Amino acid sequence: MKNQTTISSVLLISLSDNQKISYVLFIIFLLIYLMTFLTNFLIILLVLTCAHLHTPMYFFLGNLAFLDMSYSSVTAPRMLRHLATQHWSISFPECIAQMFFVIYFGCCEVYLLSSMSYDRYVAICRPLHYSRVMSWSTCIQMVSLVWSYGLLAPIIYTLCLRRLTFCRPNTIHNFFCDLPHLFQISCTDTFINVLVALIVGGSFGIGAFSITFIPYIHILSTILKIQTKHGKLKAFSTCTSHLTVVFIFYGSIIFIYFVPTTSNLFTVNRVVSVIYALVNPLLNPLIYSIRNKDLKEAVKRAIHHVHACNYNSCPKNW
């Protein structure tokens, strides 16, 4: 029979019981986190300072970089601390706060990817109207809605958690707190909470999913109508980076939130969670940078600018 005492802390499952392996994982994940922070910060800096990147596409990309920095910062520092100290407990209020921001930044990224899909649709399918449709005021309004609407789901979920009682065993089979994990340690019936999560997540998710993928039906149709092979490749190359990020992101979400968590899948779930929380925020800037000539050119200009400044001849515009 479960102990009905309300818990004050939550025990997270260690990624490894071997101390030496934990230290190796600490070094690996520290390097991943630092690279994530630096690469995303570099993209934000380039978008802010390079005049030729002052376009809607890179405005959204800068917001995506900030989201990736924020998301990884919610989970990575505490996980690194746990790996270094081998103490995997977290206070219950901190667990709730971590869950809130994990969901918040996740929702914001879903909506932002939808906005980026719409931007690509207008650029390829309605190029003559692009500057009018995707004006700066429109872009700012879209991003404001992304950051605002992202709050709705985590606020609703957090308020609904107040009806639950959490009790021992207080072990979460992951390295960070998320909504499904909190349901597992509740000694109150979670049917209403699961129903609310399905309704809220389904209504918002289906809408965002549709806005993300439906434009690509029209984009593909438009690309196929282009006469030259070079034109087709050029048009499609502007979408491949975004599509790659979308598929990786949604693939992780589907596995984490829609595949039933059983004892046989705890290890796999933790691996996917590592990819979702730590690797994805690093992959996003790399995916956009590898195939993007504008970003490569911006990096070259930045290096040239720094090199010129070392000789006291800083160019005014770069």
Side-chain angles (χ1 to χ4, degrees):
M1 183 175 179
K2 292 183 178 180
N3 186 348
Q4 298 296 313
T5 304
T6 303
I7 61 175
S8 60
S9 63
V10 173
L11 182 63
L12 303 173
I13 291 295
S14 172
L15 292 174
S16 175
D17 295 328
N18 187 303
Q19 192 170 14
K20 291 183 179 179
I21 295 178
S22 293
Y23 289 149
V24 172
L25 290 176
F26 173 84
I27 295 173
I28 293 173
F29 292 145
L30 176 62
L31 290 174
I32 291 176
Y33 177 62
L34 291 176
M35 288 178 63
T36 298
F37 198 90
L38 290 174
T39 51
N40 282 292
F41 180 76
L42 177 61
I43 285 180
I44 294 172
L45 188 63
L46 291 174
V47 169
L48 289 175
T49 56
C50 296
H52 71 287
L53 297 183
H54 292 171
T55 64
M57 175 182 172
Y58 293 104
F59 175 66
F60 291 128
L61 183 57
N63 276 269
L64 179 63
F66 183 77
L67 264 176
D68 287 332
M69 286 172 55
S70 302
Y71 189 90
S72 60
S73 296
V74 172
T75 56
R78 178 165 285 278
M79 184 197 65
L80 292 171
R81 175 186 169 187
H82 292 325
L83 284 170
T85 62
Q86 289 298 297
H87 296 297
W88 286 83
S89 62
I90 178 174
S91 71
F92 191 70
E94 288 177 321
C95 184
I96 295 294
Q98 189 178 59
M99 176 221 70
F100 180 92
F101 285 106
V102 163
I103 296 175
Y104 174 54
F105 291 127
C107 289
C108 287
E109 186 153 346
V110 167
Y111 302 145
L112 185 60
L113 291 174
S114 300
S115 301
M116 295 172 77
S117 286
Y118 180 72
D119 173 68
R120 291 300 83 206
Y121 161 75
V122 178
I124 294 175
C125 299
R126 302 178 62 189
L128 298 179
H129 303 281
Y130 183 76
S131 59
R132 179 178 60 83
V133 175
M134 297 303 296
S135 64
W136 278 113
S137 60
T138 301
C139 293
I140 292 171
Q141 289 174 8
M142 290 172 69
V143 169
S144 299
L145 289 174
V146 165
W147 289 99
S148 301
Y149 281 1
L151 284 169
L152 294 178
I155 287 176
I156 293 171
Y157 296 156
T158 304
L159 290 175
C160 288
L161 285 177
R162 299 184 57 151
R163 63 174 295 274
L164 300 180
T165 302
F166 298 92
C167 50
R168 300 184 188 279
N170 59 333
T171 302
I172 285 179
H173 291 272
N174 213 328
F175 65 92
F176 66 91
C177 295
D178 204 355
L179 192 64
H181 308 139
L182 290 171
F183 288 165
Q184 291 171 6
I185 62 172
S186 172
C187 48
T188 310
D189 184 13
T190 60
F191 174 78
I192 294 178
N193 294 74
V194 172
L195 184 62
V196 169
L198 289 174
I199 293 174
V200 174
S203 57
F204 289 137
I206 291 173
F209 184 87
S210 301
I211 297 173
T212 301
F213 285 98
I214 289 178
Y216 275 99
I217 299 174
H218 300 283
I219 289 172
L220 182 60
S221 175
T222 301
I223 291 175
L224 291 176
K225 293 177 183 177
I226 298 176
Q227 299 297 322
T228 64
K229 183 178 180 181
H230 175 72
K232 290 181 180 179
L233 290 175
K234 184 178 179 181
F236 192 72
S237 66
T238 64
C239 304
T240 52
S241 297
H242 179 253
L243 274 176
T244 304
V245 169
V246 166
F247 280 121
I248 294 174
F249 180 75
Y250 273 98
S252 302
I253 286 181
I254 289 170
F255 190 92
I256 292 173
Y257 293 104
F258 295 96
V259 175
T261 303
T262 63
S263 57
N264 296 327
L265 292 176
F266 282 149
T267 301
V268 178
N269 188 268
R270 286 201 295 273
V271 171
V272 176
S273 296
V274 168
I275 296 173
Y276 176 64
L278 297 178
V279 180
N280 276 6
L282 174 61
L283 286 178
N284 290 350
L286 295 179
I287 290 170
Y288 275 102
S289 301
I290 289 173
R291 297 180 57 87
N292 194 297
K293 293 181 180 179
D294 291 334
L295 281 178
K296 290 179 182 178
E297 182 64 27
V299 171
K300 290 179 182 178
R301 290 185 183 183
I303 294 173
H304 174 73
H305 179 83
V306 172
H307 180 72
C309 286
N310 289 335
Y311 292 94
N312 299 318
S313 59
C314 295
K316 292 182 179 180
N317 297 313
W318 58 286

